[in-house]
Amino acid sequence: MSSRLESARKVADAVLYEGYLLYPYRASAAKNRSRWQFGVLVPPGFTATEEPAASQTECLLEAGPDTTIHLQLRFLQLQSRTAEEATDDGFRPVARLEAASTTYLTFDEAVDRSADATLPLAGLLTGTAQVVTVEFAAGQSVEPVADGRIVHEHWPISAALRVKAEPLPGPYGLARLQVRIENTGSWTGPSRQEALRHSLIATHLLVAVDSGAFVSLLDPPEWAAPAAEKCVNLHTWPVLAGEPGSRDLMLSAPIILYDHPAIAPESPGDLFDATEIDEILSLRTMTLTDEEKREARATDARAAEIIDRTDDLPPELLERLHGAIRMLRPRTTVHAGAGEDPDPEARRESVPWWDPGADASVSPESDGVVIGGVEVARGSRVRLLPGRPRGTRRADAHDMFLAGRIALVEAVFLDVDGNRHLAVTLEDDEGADLARAQGRFLYFAPEEVESL
């Protein structure tokens, strides 16, 4: 399984550390005081938050008599890191320890865990689930530092994989595989912080198959669609993983993904927020003050790696984050005889439906819209009134910085629903020429501007 796993490793790692620590990567940031939100399986005796103690993956595979299933359970185990200051009587816990020009903070970190199992499919078709037990013992380590020590401690984790399968009727050799991941720990109590010490965090599952193939649940073939609809997945979302076109590996994650998810090759490293844009997050990290960066480095070793990486990011790599062309389509030229117009049908077929060139009646650079009795088009000056009418349309926090600003209309677009949108640049923006050259505009509805 290891060779196949490598093709999905980056995505699986992104799932494992999703939300682990968020920008600005400091322990004092409010968003980093309430952590561990994805894929948490709590002990069954903890009911204060209604978080699940188990997750269930069901998927379809085309199987044969020699089909073998390989499972890899992956999760994070919470580990406390406590800074302790040396005293005459021994050591005492402190929130912050300054030792030899290095800052140490008391903060929770995590240890990544995994457990593997290989099961012949024939043994799973008996109707009785096979159980794979998973145990990780408690542990503690002490790291001496100047004027004190750092104590790392984690608590025991008990879990089980319950695996079974059932053959489905039909000529395709289809089977439904079910894998339940259960936290079987005995801890009870009302505190979520303590419950997390005995929880599986960012729990996800990699499933590989030999002598068989998985069926996509997102886009199943017509003959498998009824069976796909009956798959019951609880607190997890299984998709095909690995190289595009392959069907021997599945990733079941607590985050909704598409088949064959991949990390953009331009990404220089994890930022613990795969829903963000690397360019924006890297630029924001670069703007942190020296003191903020120092706190981030003291917060967590992984945060320190992010700070160091963005500080040393070469300009050419930062430029790569600005955008990438994944595919070029050939341009079809329609020739017309002297005095003849090109065939409009051929012109429409030469461009995709979403391209303005597909509709000769649309011309963003010359189209206009009437606002307050005045025709507004490219070159018009307008005043921005985002969110008008009050409380409708937008929920953008940046609008407060744009309200009342004067802007220049660059184009008027028509969307597929027949709505007009004004693409504008700010009149006093020194970077307007660059935005214009790159087509990076601000967009407003006609009722959100006032014609000047």
Side-chain angles (χ1 to χ4, degrees):
M1 181 175 176
S2 59
S3 60
R4 282 176 288 181
L5 182 59
E6 287 307 312
S7 62
R9 175 72 70 181
K10 287 186 177 181
V11 174
D13 286 347
V15 171
L16 188 64
Y17 285 98
E18 177 69 16
Y20 171 77
L21 197 64
L22 298 177
Y23 170 88
Y25 307 114
R26 304 193 314 269
S28 61
K31 64 175 70 174
N32 289 321
R33 296 176 189 171
S34 179
R35 301 164 69 200
W36 323 117
Q37 304 298 324
F38 295 101
V40 178
L41 300 183
V42 298
F46 175 70
T47 59
T49 61
E50 298 186 357
E51 290 172 283
S55 65
Q56 176 176 295
T57 295
E58 283 193 348
C59 56
L60 302 177
L61 66 151
E62 298 174 64
D66 299 324
T67 299
T68 302
I69 307 298
H70 304 273
L71 305 173
Q72 184 174 84
L73 168 67
R74 306 176 83 231
F75 63 93
L76 293 179
Q77 180 179 15
L78 185 146
Q79 177 173 274
S80 70
R81 185 187 69 224
T82 306
E84 294 187 354
E85 183 180 58
T87 66
D88 294 338
D89 300 326
F91 298 91
R92 68 180 183 91
V94 293
R96 185 186 189 101
L97 177 65
E98 300 286 349
S101 73
T102 301
T103 301
Y104 299 93
L105 299 179
T106 292
F107 197 65
D108 284 338
E109 51 198 16
V111 181
D112 56 279
R113 301 296 193 190
S114 66
D116 296 270
T118 298
L119 304 170
L121 180 63
L124 303 175
L125 294 171
T126 61
T128 302
Q130 293 193 26
V131 180
V132 179
T133 59
V134 178
E135 299 283 346
F136 288 96
Q140 186 184 85
S141 63
V142 177
E143 176 188 354
V145 298
D147 303 322
R149 66 182 185 178
I150 307 300
V151 179
H152 304 269
E153 183 177 8
H154 58 264
W155 291 261
I157 292 285
S158 297
L161 296 176
R162 301 187 184 275
V163 191
K164 65 180 181 178
E166 63 173 318
L168 300 179
Y172 300 100
L174 198 62
R176 179 182 290 112
L177 176 68
Q178 181 188 99
V179 184
R180 283 185 60 85
I181 305 171
E182 300 178 356
N183 186 329
T184 57
S186 59
W187 181 89
T188 59
S191 167
R192 184 177 190 266
Q193 180 59 34
E194 291 186 21
L196 287 170
R197 296 174 175 178
H198 304 271
S199 298
L200 287 72
I201 300 171
T203 312
H204 60 282
L205 186 69
L206 282 162
V207 190
V209 60
D210 289 334
S211 301
F214 291 107
V215 174
S216 170
L217 297 185
L218 296 179
D219 187 22
E222 186 175 351
W223 57 266
E229 291 178 357
K230 293 180 181 179
C231 288
V232 179
N233 288 283
L234 304 175
H235 314 296
T236 192
W237 182 266
V239 296
L240 297 176
E243 297 299 325
S246 63
R247 294 199 292 129
D248 60 352
L249 184 63
M250 184 157 278
L251 169 64
S252 188
I255 301 169
I256 294 178
L257 300 170
Y258 46 84
D259 282 337
H260 303 291
I263 302 296
E266 295 80 16
S267 178
D270 199 357
L271 295 166
F272 304 144
D273 193 346
T275 63
E276 261 288 7
I277 300 172
D278 280 22
E279 180 188 27
I280 294 176
L281 212 46
S282 296
L283 289 172
R284 287 180 173 178
T285 303
M286 291 177 183
T287 64
L288 295 175
T289 66
D290 290 342
E291 181 57 35
E292 289 173 325
K293 290 180 180 180
R294 182 183 179 189
E295 182 187 344
R297 289 187 174 96
T299 295
D300 190 272
R302 295 182 178 91
E305 192 276 331
I306 292 175
I307 299 299
D308 293 340
R309 185 205 317 145
T310 53
D311 276 354
D312 298 333
L313 198 62
E316 57 271 20
L317 290 185
L318 184 60
E319 186 176 348
R320 288 180 61 194
L321 297 181
H322 190 62
I325 297 174
R326 296 279 181 243
M327 180 181 66
L328 292 174
R329 60 176 174 82
R331 178 175 179 178
T332 301
T333 302
V334 180
H335 298 282
E340 296 180 0
D341 289 331
D343 180 0
E345 290 299 325
R347 180 172 62 250
R348 278 193 290 271
E349 291 179 0
S350 69
V351 292
W353 64 268
W354 42 261
D355 193 309
D359 187 351
S361 65
V362 176
S363 177
E365 294 188 353
S366 60
D367 286 347
V369 60
V370 176
I371 301 176
V374 178
E375 179 82 9
V376 173
R378 182 180 182 184
S380 299
R381 295 174 70 246
V382 295
R383 189 188 312 277
L384 303 180
L385 303 170
R388 191 177 71 167
R390 183 178 178 85
T392 62
R393 301 189 66 88
R394 300 169 70 96
D396 190 339
H398 291 89
D399 283 350
M400 68 178 71
F401 303 108
L402 300 174
R405 302 279 291 275
I406 307 301
L408 187 68
V409 176
E410 303 290 346
V412 178
F413 289 94
L414 178 70
D415 67 21
V416 294
D417 295 319
N419 299 313
R420 299 281 178 180
H421 303 272
L422 303 181
V424 306
T425 54
L426 296 177
E427 192 173 67
D428 59 354
D429 183 2
E430 295 181 357
D433 288 341
L434 182 60
R436 191 175 296 113
Q438 297 177 343
R440 298 171 69 91
F441 304 124
L442 302 172
Y443 291 89
F444 293 87
E447 59 266 29
E448 294 182 299
V449 306
E450 177 183 70
S451 174
L452 298 180

